[in-house]
């Protein structure tokens, strides 16, 4: 291959990564907005007269979207494994757009009564059904188009694109808080980021439609139907459960340091909304840097060492870090703790996502990945804001969310030891 050909190929790979993760960025942007603006949403749709009850109802609705993820993983995952990565990613985007538009446009409880929270719940369920296969579809696409020996680096951009979504969401939140009063934001202007997401959807459809199918998928002679995929999932249930436990560390730590951070900063530490959003912004930037770096490191040293090291670090430092923070709350202390947890999350996730694509059977890779990831998110991660809020209320310990992350890290460590227990050391430069 000539230098010119190499340059063109590299440029083509870069453009492909941008197209596939561009859609993933917006899907996750719309999905996470609900968590970022939980306080405003609770007042608009769940006005119980009790701040804790309203916030819990909001986080339970947020979590309900994750309960739909396993269904999306099974049905949409089977569709993607059957008809192709490109077509499946277009379908997931359409479903996410409908859910986001619904949440953005529904009048508040004061206007239409109980219909308001019901319609918001439907919007969340649509988002969850779509997201059930979005992460798996994008991750598998990136793993199949990656150059040999660089799968970790390529797949890490799926998670990195989510961090860009968080940066944009946090930046919009910061702009709203410095431009409008808290009353104005609560009354209406929290909806602006949702409208922004809706307006960009046509661009995303263009990006997704321009994607080419992966060569690995096109070369596959047998493409299983839904029945075969379901049978494979049942036959490989132990692998799916181990994969779910592997993801638990990622999904709990991610939602703890991103979606829950604005609420934790305001409601628990009593910091300003602006301070909490700036910390969230910094965490997203930190994640964006560390994810591809640690994905590339996992290409060199293997997935297993990174998975073990960072689950152990999380087990021993998550709760003490948060306990120290709540004992001496300040913007600087919150930033320091959140950046440390960000380092743990991104370093683990940089190796974990590509590892999950590698342990799944090739012919049902999207469905298997998506089901394991969705189950972890539904059981562990999606309800992290609600669980964190409930733990603080029940125990009176403001650092209790750290215990939830510790438990998830223990699940990740056990899963790593189980999945890699029979694997011999691999040659240098060969992905684990």
């Amino acid at each position: 291959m000539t230098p010119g050909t190499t340059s063109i190929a590299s440029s083509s790979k870069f453009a492909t990564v941008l197209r596939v993760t561009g859609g993933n960025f917006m899907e996750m942007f719309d999905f996470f907005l609900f968590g970022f603006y939980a306080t405003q949403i609770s007042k608009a749709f769940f006005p119980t007269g009790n701040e804790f009850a309203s916030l819990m109802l909001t986080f339970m609705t947020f979590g309900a979207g994750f309960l739909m993820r396993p269904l999306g993983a099974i049905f949409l995952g089977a569709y993607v494994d059957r008809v192709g990565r490109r077509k499946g990613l277009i379908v997931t985007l359409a479903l996410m757009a409908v859910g986001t538009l619904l949440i953005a446009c529904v009048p508040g409880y004061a206007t239409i009564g109980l219909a308001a929270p019901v319609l918001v719940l439907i919007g969340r369920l649509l988002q969850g059904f779509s997201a059930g296969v979005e992460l798996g579809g994008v991750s598998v696409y990136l793993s199949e188009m990656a150059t040999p020996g660089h799968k970790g680096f390529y797949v890490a951009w799926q998670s990195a694109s989510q961090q860009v979504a968080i940066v944009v969401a946090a930046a919009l939140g910061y702009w709203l808080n410095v431009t409008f009063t808290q009353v104005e934001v609560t009354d209406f202007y929290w909806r602006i980021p949702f409208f922004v997401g809706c307006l960009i959807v046509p661009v995303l459809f263009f990006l997704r439609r321009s994607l080419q199918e992966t060569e690995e998928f096109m070369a596959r002679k047998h493409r299983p139907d839904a029945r075969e995929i379901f049978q494979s999932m049942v036959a490989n249930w132990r692998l799916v459960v181990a994969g779910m436990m592997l993801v638990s560390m990622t999904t709990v730590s991610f939602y703890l340091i991103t979606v829950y951070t604005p609420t934790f900063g305001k409601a628990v530490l009593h910091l300003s909304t602006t301070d909490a959003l700036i910390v969230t912004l910094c965490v997203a930037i930190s994640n964006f840097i560390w994810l591809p770096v640690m994905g590339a490191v996992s290409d060199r040293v293997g997935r297993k060492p990174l998975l073990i090291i960072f689950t152990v670090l999380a087990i021993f430092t998550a709760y003490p870090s948060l306990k120290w923070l709540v004992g001496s709350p300040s913007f600087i202390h919150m930033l320091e703790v959140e950046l440390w947890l960000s380092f743990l999350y991104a370093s683990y996730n940089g190796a974990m996502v590509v590892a999950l694509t590698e342990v799944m059977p090739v012919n049902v890779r999207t469905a298997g990945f998506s089901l394991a990831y969705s189950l972890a998110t539904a059981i562990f991660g999606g309800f992290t804001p609600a669980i964190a809020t409930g733990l603080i209320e029940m125990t009176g310990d403001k650092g209790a969310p750290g215990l939830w992350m510790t438990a998830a890290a223990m699940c990740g460590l056990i899963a790593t030891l189980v999945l890699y227990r029979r694997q011999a050391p691999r040659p240098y430069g060969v992905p684990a």
Side-chain angles (χ1 to χ4, degrees):
M1 182 179 289
T2 64
T5 305
T6 303
S7 177
I8 293 172
S10 299
S11 176
S12 176
K13 291 283 187 184
F14 178 73
T16 300
V17 169
L18 285 180
R19 283 197 295 271
V20 70
T21 58
N24 188 54
F25 149 74
M26 275 310 307
E27 290 227 28
M28 294 303 103
F29 171 72
D30 292 342
F31 200 76
F32 295 140
L33 284 178
F34 197 97
F36 283 156
Y37 297 100
T39 303
Q40 290 79 14
I41 291 173
S42 69
K43 294 177 181 178
F45 300 113
F46 305 98
T48 65
N50 181 289
E51 183 178 352
F52 169 72
S54 295
L55 198 57
M56 282 298 291
L57 284 172
T58 303
F59 281 140
M60 292 300 288
T61 303
F62 178 76
F66 294 95
L67 295 179
M68 289 296 289
R69 280 193 170 198
L71 292 177
I74 293 172
F75 291 102
L76 293 179
Y79 176 78
V80 173
D81 280 327
R82 178 67 178 168
V83 306
R85 317 309 186 200
R86 174 184 171 275
K87 290 182 180 178
L89 290 174
I90 291 174
V91 170
T92 62
L93 179 60
L95 289 171
M96 179 67 74
V98 173
T100 302
L101 184 63
L102 192 58
I103 294 173
C105 298
V106 171
Y109 184 91
T111 303
I112 60 174
L114 286 174
V118 170
L119 289 172
V120 168
L121 177 60
I122 292 173
R124 282 294 301 167
L125 295 179
L126 282 173
Q127 288 183 326
F129 188 74
S130 165
V133 80
E134 170 66 19
L135 299 181
V138 171
S139 298
V140 169
Y141 189 99
L142 291 172
S143 72
E144 292 182 350
M145 56 80 67
T147 54
H150 297 92
K151 280 191 176 184
F153 175 74
Y154 274 90
V155 175
W157 288 104
Q158 177 267 111
S159 297
S161 69
Q162 296 179 28
Q163 313 313 313
V164 179
I166 295 168
V167 168
V168 175
L172 278 171
Y174 177 81
W175 172 75
L176 289 176
N177 277 280
V178 299
T179 305
F180 305 102
T181 66
Q182 286 297 312
V183 173
E184 290 174 327
V185 172
T186 300
D187 285 346
F188 175 79
Y189 289 104
W190 64 267
R191 296 177 185 264
I192 288 179
F194 287 91
F195 288 127
V196 170
C198 294
L199 292 174
I200 302 178
V201 166
V203 178
L204 304 182
F205 273 112
F206 173 77
L207 290 173
R208 285 275 164 98
R209 286 176 62 84
S210 66
L211 283 174
Q212 299 296 313
E213 191 54 78
T214 66
E215 293 180 8
E216 182 175 334
F217 180 83
M218 293 298 291
R220 198 168 301 153
K221 304 240 183 248
H222 175 68
R223 298 177 187 176
D225 58 25
R227 181 179 58 82
E228 291 177 284
I229 290 174
F230 296 154
Q231 288 176 341
S232 178
M233 291 298 96
V234 173
N236 291 281
W237 68 269
R238 291 183 180 84
L239 181 60
V240 172
V241 171
M244 176 190 72
M245 293 179 64
L246 191 71
V247 178
S248 61
M249 162 66 178
T250 276
T251 188
V252 167
S253 56
F254 177 73
Y255 286 101
L256 188 67
I257 66 175
T258 56
V259 174
Y260 183 62
T261 289
T263 301
F264 186 72
K266 290 180 294 183
V268 179
L269 302 180
H270 304 296
L271 302 178
S272 70
T273 300
T274 300
D275 284 346
L277 287 170
I278 290 175
V279 170
T280 305
L281 184 67
C282 293
V283 164
I285 294 172
S286 169
N287 292 343
F288 181 81
I289 294 170
W290 285 115
L291 280 163
V293 169
M294 301 311 286
V297 170
S298 78
D299 286 327
R300 303 298 295 273
V301 305
R303 322 300 182 205
K304 182 179 178 181
L306 294 186
L307 296 177
I308 291 176
I309 289 170
F310 289 100
T311 49
V312 170
L313 283 174
I315 289 169
F316 285 104
T317 66
Y319 177 69
S321 296
L322 284 179
K323 191 68 175 176
W324 174 76
L325 172 60
V326 298
S328 181
S330 70
F331 169 75
I332 295 298
H333 288 173
M334 185 179 184
L335 181 61
E336 291 172 348
V337 169
E338 293 283 339
L339 287 179
W340 169 247
L341 297 181
S342 161
F343 175 64
L344 296 182
Y345 152 76
S347 299
Y348 177 84
N349 195 62
M352 188 283 298
V353 176
V354 66
L356 192 59
T357 67
E358 293 167 343
V359 299
M360 289 297 165
V362 174
N363 62 327
V364 290
R365 182 176 287 158
T366 302
F369 180 106
S370 299
L371 183 57
Y373 207 108
S374 297
L375 286 171
T377 309
I379 296 172
F380 298 101
F383 287 98
T384 288
I387 290 171
T389 302
L391 283 173
I392 293 172
E393 182 73 13
M394 289 185 295
T395 65
D397 182 356
K398 295 180 179 179
L403 296 174
W404 182 233
M405 183 171 171
T406 300
M410 293 176 69
C411 288
L413 178 60
I414 293 170
T416 299
L417 297 176
V418 169
L419 287 170
Y420 287 92
R421 70 188 184 280
R422 295 178 182 172
Q423 292 194 6
R426 64 181 180 83
Y428 174 81
V430 178

